[in-house]
Amino acid sequence: TLSPTQELYAFGNVGGRETEGGFFYRNPNSRSGVYTAGDIRAVVDTNIRRGDTNVISNCPALTSPGSGGGGSLDPALVAADALALANLPANCWVLNQILPGGYTPQFGGTLEDASIVGGMRGEFENGLLYDFSASFGRNAVEFFLNNTWSPSFGPDGIVGGELQRDFDIGEYSQSETNFSADFVYPLDVAAFASPLNIAFGAEWRDEVFQVRVGEERSWAAGRFAFQSGNGTNFYNDGTTPLPDLSIGAHGFAGFSPSQAGKFGRSNYAVYGELEADIVENFTMAVALRFEDFEDFGDTTNGKIAARWALTDSFAVRGSASTGFRAPTPGQSNVTKVSTTTIDGELQQRGQIPPTNPIAQSLGAAALEPEDATNFTAGLVWDVSDSISLTLDYFNIDLEDRISQTGSIVIADRPVPSNQNCPIAQANPFASLADCLQELGVPGASDLNSVSFYTNDFETTTQGLDFVATWNTDFGDAGNGVLTAAWNWTETEVNAVGIEVSRNRIVDLENFNPETRGIFTYNHFLDKWRFLVRASWYGDWIVGDYSGDPGFVDPSDPNWSRDNPVFSIDCTVPNDKCYDGDWLFDLEVAYDFTDNWSAVVGGQNIGDNFGPVDQDNLDGTIGSGNTYDQSTAWGQDGGFWYVRLRADFD
């Protein structure tokens, strides 16, 4: 405190965390680009050098048992396969020799988060309140991928007698710097029932998104990425082309130099708000904000809100406003390659920037800001001294909504004549995936599909929020608070672009449960506190219709950009339709002193892992997941914890 009307303040935080989780299992009899090339074992010839063409190898073309069209895992076929692998010529190599049982990559990251805020606030002699502040925050995640390998290096990836299995795949970081000045002045106005509260201020912000390059073998192409010689190098049968193996750490290729970089922007804003009791029990507020972005220009948005207390215990409230959200530097610039499931099968999918030439050939454009129109209406009712209720309705219309397109297949998609793709000039069978590889995205030639952020959505989201609170008193047995919170939210896609997949539209409308309820009871008895919580998640649907071509065909007579309606097919293996369920939490706390307490608790004590992945029910190999990834509450089951807490005055 500098004086009775002025003080300096500062606070901050430093935190860190490391997480690791399993990716999809790689089947040693069917994983294409790693163990197989179609139905044939992915045998590599170590005698072939990068750039060799018209080679007939002495390596045999071995049909893999259990692959897509390679027969079943019949014991006789398995024995014959094992014998053939054991008798390969010395220059012929296959991953089964090192990892015969397959593998499951382990993806993780080390997170570091830090921020600091400082400022000065106080009051001038004329009654004007002020707050000058500055802040800086940075969040960085260093990614790693373990228990995998870089297929295109093949046996060249063996270092010191062991195949390299662990990779540093790079880092994402986001930093923000803010300076702001805020003022509040209460002005007596005879016409109003209260002083007119005048608030205004200005803000400047700078944000930077940075991608750091991963270690070279996590993204670089080894010599076996091009072993086929564009289809001119063959196994010893003279007709089956040698395989090209996947590029990059398998599961999540590292960030290459062409993906890395620093992307930033700055913006400033000025804003003001007026609030007063116009008459007794009727409060009204209006606000206006002007903001100018370095990359998107300026925008002006406003809000009007009111609250009317009809009685001492009952009031109604509402608001109307416009909104604006600029895309983040990350959304505009991120590139990554990872493994996903499409129709229950493992496939490589890439996310590319909307400014990438391949994305633009598919209809993408540089991202623009979102615009929103918002309405709310609600009521507050103190039923008694111990019971209170609130009910609010909200409606949000979004134009130019930013979202991913969904999977757009590029593996077999021909290169448009206007696409600058030199590889297509040399190879008439080149696909858009090959062009993407040529543009510097590691592993792109192995991609089945891509997605990118787009503004091509218009949606309406509406919902209800209901909260009821009951304070109880049991005398010597203590007191408690029972809270019931229930939400219903519905999103409808009003219009989309032609590059948006049918499954993505279904997900936007149905991926999250429309209803959710949380019922919590806290009981206090002397130094003890007891908590019981029940959470309800409603039904949800994952768009997974196998007939989805990856993009909407504008020539389809059933399709309309302004009426993107699709029926849901819940029969396996089409859309995944899941029933809602309950989760339960318990917690007990004890206060040793005013400053020290201990807490023991459990979340999801019923160990609910969510529904079984329906891809495992259609008779195919599937992803190897037991539980579906779309589970509303995750697939990690129960979580138990013990905490010791200290409060320092």
Side-chain angles (χ1 to χ4, degrees):
T1 300
L2 301 178
S3 71
T5 60
Q6 188 178 66
E7 67 174 358
L8 294 175
Y9 63 90
F11 57 90
N13 75 279
V14 176
R17 183 176 66 215
E18 182 173 307
T19 60
E20 184 175 359
F23 269 11
F24 298 112
Y25 170 64
R26 270 55 177 172
N27 190 302
N29 297 299
S30 61
R31 188 63 177 102
S32 181
V34 178
Y35 284 100
T36 64
D39 300 336
I40 307 300
R41 285 284 182 203
V43 181
V44 298
D45 187 341
T46 59
N47 289 335
I48 293 181
R49 295 164 298 180
R50 187 191 296 260
D52 284 351
T53 58
N54 301 310
V55 174
I56 302 297
S57 171
N58 67 326
C59 298
L62 306 177
T63 300
S64 172
S67 62
S72 65
L73 289 176
D74 179 89
L77 294 176
V78 173
D81 179 60
L83 181 63
L85 293 178
N87 289 281
L88 287 174
N91 62 298
C92 302
W93 186 89
V94 65
L95 182 62
N96 301 73
Q97 296 170 343
I98 294 180
L99 300 173
Y103 59 96
T104 301
Q106 300 292 308
F107 177 78
T110 301
L111 181 145
E112 296 179 353
D113 184 83
S115 66
I116 186 169
V117 178
M120 180 175 67
R121 58 194 173 202
E123 182 178 355
F124 292 120
E125 292 183 358
N126 62 358
L128 177 67
L129 302 172
Y130 63 88
D131 186 345
F132 302 104
S133 65
S135 66
F136 175 79
R138 183 178 185 271
N139 183 284
V141 183
E142 185 175 352
F143 298 105
F144 58 84
L145 190 65
N146 298 336
N147 198 46
T148 186
W149 73 311
S150 189
S152 69
F153 281 89
D156 295 345
I158 298 175
V159 180
E162 293 187 0
L163 183 69
Q164 182 178 356
R165 305 292 312 282
D166 301 338
F167 298 88
D168 169 13
I169 57 178
E171 180 184 77
Y172 284 158
S173 66
Q174 172 86 12
S175 63
E176 293 189 7
T177 303
N178 293 272
F179 295 95
S180 62
D182 295 292
F183 305 91
V184 178
Y185 184 72
L187 177 66
D188 290 326
V189 178
F192 294 158
S194 74
L196 174 64
N197 199 58
I198 304 172
F200 58 96
E203 179 183 29
W204 180 85
R205 179 172 66 248
D206 182 74
E207 54 184 318
V208 176
F209 174 73
Q210 187 168 4
V211 182
R212 178 180 62 77
V213 175
E215 65 173 288
E216 185 172 359
R217 283 194 176 178
S218 73
W219 54 264
R223 61 175 168 146
F224 302 109
F226 313 103
Q227 181 184 225
S228 71
N230 279 334
T232 66
N233 298 335
F234 299 93
Y235 284 106
N236 63 5
D237 61 4
T239 59
T240 305
L242 287 169
D244 291 336
L245 296 190
S246 298
I247 298 173
H250 201 250
F252 196 113
F255 305 133
S256 69
S258 64
Q259 296 171 265
K262 184 181 290 187
F263 314 97
R265 67 147 180 253
S266 62
N267 65 288
Y268 69 88
V270 292
Y271 41 85
E273 181 180 23
L274 303 175
E275 181 180 12
D277 292 340
I278 306 301
V279 295
E280 193 70 29
N281 298 330
F282 182 76
T283 304
M284 192 170 183
V286 293
L288 197 66
R289 180 183 179 96
F290 171 84
E291 195 160 7
D292 186 271
F293 287 81
E294 181 181 23
D295 47 359
F296 294 109
D298 58 74
T299 178
T300 302
N301 292 279
K303 178 179 180 179
I304 182 169
R307 185 181 186 276
W308 185 14
L310 299 174
T311 69
D312 290 341
S313 60
F314 187 83
V316 294
R317 58 191 179 188
S319 67
S321 65
T322 60
F324 174 94
R325 188 180 80 85
T328 67
Q331 288 175 324
S332 298
N333 296 284
V334 71
T335 302
K336 62 184 180 182
V337 175
S338 58
T339 305
T340 187
T341 56
I342 298 176
D343 298 335
E345 300 298 327
L346 296 185
Q347 296 179 4
Q348 295 293 93
R349 188 179 80 171
Q351 180 183 332
I352 57 179
T355 52
N356 183 288
I358 300 301
Q360 296 199 335
S361 76
L362 298 170
L367 291 180
E368 297 292 335
E370 296 177 338
D371 292 306
T373 304
N374 315 292
F375 298 96
T376 68
L379 58 87
V380 180
W381 184 19
D382 293 328
V383 181
S384 67
D385 291 340
S386 59
I387 299 176
S388 62
L389 306 174
T390 65
L391 178 65
D392 289 283
Y393 168 79
F394 58 89
N395 185 291
I396 305 168
D397 278 325
L398 268 176
E399 294 184 358
D400 296 325
R401 177 172 175 171
I402 299 171
S403 184
Q404 289 196 55
T405 59
S407 299
I408 302 175
V409 176
I410 64 170
D412 300 317
R413 196 158 178 165
V415 180
S417 58
N418 61 351
Q419 180 68 45
N420 183 17
C421 180
I423 193 174
Q425 299 171 11
N427 179 7
F429 301 104
S431 67
L432 278 180
D434 298 316
C435 290
L436 194 58
Q437 175 79 51
E438 197 169 42
L439 288 171
V441 178
S445 61
D446 188 43
L447 293 180
N448 174 268
S449 60
V450 295
S451 67
F452 47 84
Y453 282 104
T454 176
N455 289 103
D456 242 347
F457 291 92
E458 293 181 13
T459 63
T460 298
T461 298
Q462 61 177 338
L464 289 170
D465 282 317
F466 173 76
V467 179
T469 303
W470 180 23
N471 295 298
T472 61
D473 189 347
F474 298 100
D476 293 340
N479 61 82
V481 179
L482 175 64
T483 303
W486 179 85
N487 167 265
W488 165 74
T489 300
E490 176 187 69
T491 294
E492 181 178 351
V493 177
N494 303 320
V496 298
I498 61 172
E499 75 276 5
V500 177
S501 72
R502 174 264 186 200
N503 286 344
R504 186 66 184 121
I505 297 170
V506 172
D507 284 349
L508 281 169
E509 295 184 335
N510 303 282
F511 191 84
N512 295 312
E514 287 191 359
T515 58
R516 184 183 177 190
I518 303 177
F519 307 90
T520 306
Y521 179 69
N522 271 291
H523 189 81
F524 304 89
L525 178 62
D526 297 327
K527 297 182 178 182
W528 292 91
R529 177 177 63 82
F530 305 90
L531 177 146
V532 179
R533 179 186 297 115
S535 300
W536 162 256
Y537 296 85
D539 302 344
W540 73 97
I541 299 169
V542 180
D544 199 30
Y545 181 62
S546 59
D548 180 6
F551 60 95
V552 175
D553 184 354
S555 65
D556 184 342
N558 297 318
W559 167 251
S560 168
R561 171 183 166 84
D562 298 319
N563 186 34
V565 178
F566 296 95
S567 60
I568 304 298
D569 185 352
C570 293
T571 59
V572 175
N574 295 313
D575 296 321
K576 302 176 184 178
C577 303
Y578 294 120
D579 295 330
D581 212 341
W582 289 91
L583 270 68
F584 299 93
D585 306 330
L586 292 175
E587 186 176 279
V588 178
Y590 181 77
D591 296 329
F592 295 102
T593 67
D594 291 341
N595 302 97
W596 291 89
S597 60
V599 181
V600 178
Q603 298 175 2
N604 187 8
I605 61 173
D607 213 22
N608 192 329
F609 288 90
V612 171
D613 189 339
Q614 292 184 8
D615 286 334
N616 296 328
L617 307 178
D618 63 4
T620 64
I621 294 172
S623 65
N625 273 354
T626 300
Y627 303 101
D628 196 283
Q629 291 190 106
S630 68
T631 306
W633 52 89
Q635 54 179 206
D636 295 326
F639 174 77
W640 297 87
Y641 55 90
V642 177
R643 289 201 305 263
L644 183 65
R645 178 170 175 170
D647 293 325
F648 300 100
D649 295 331

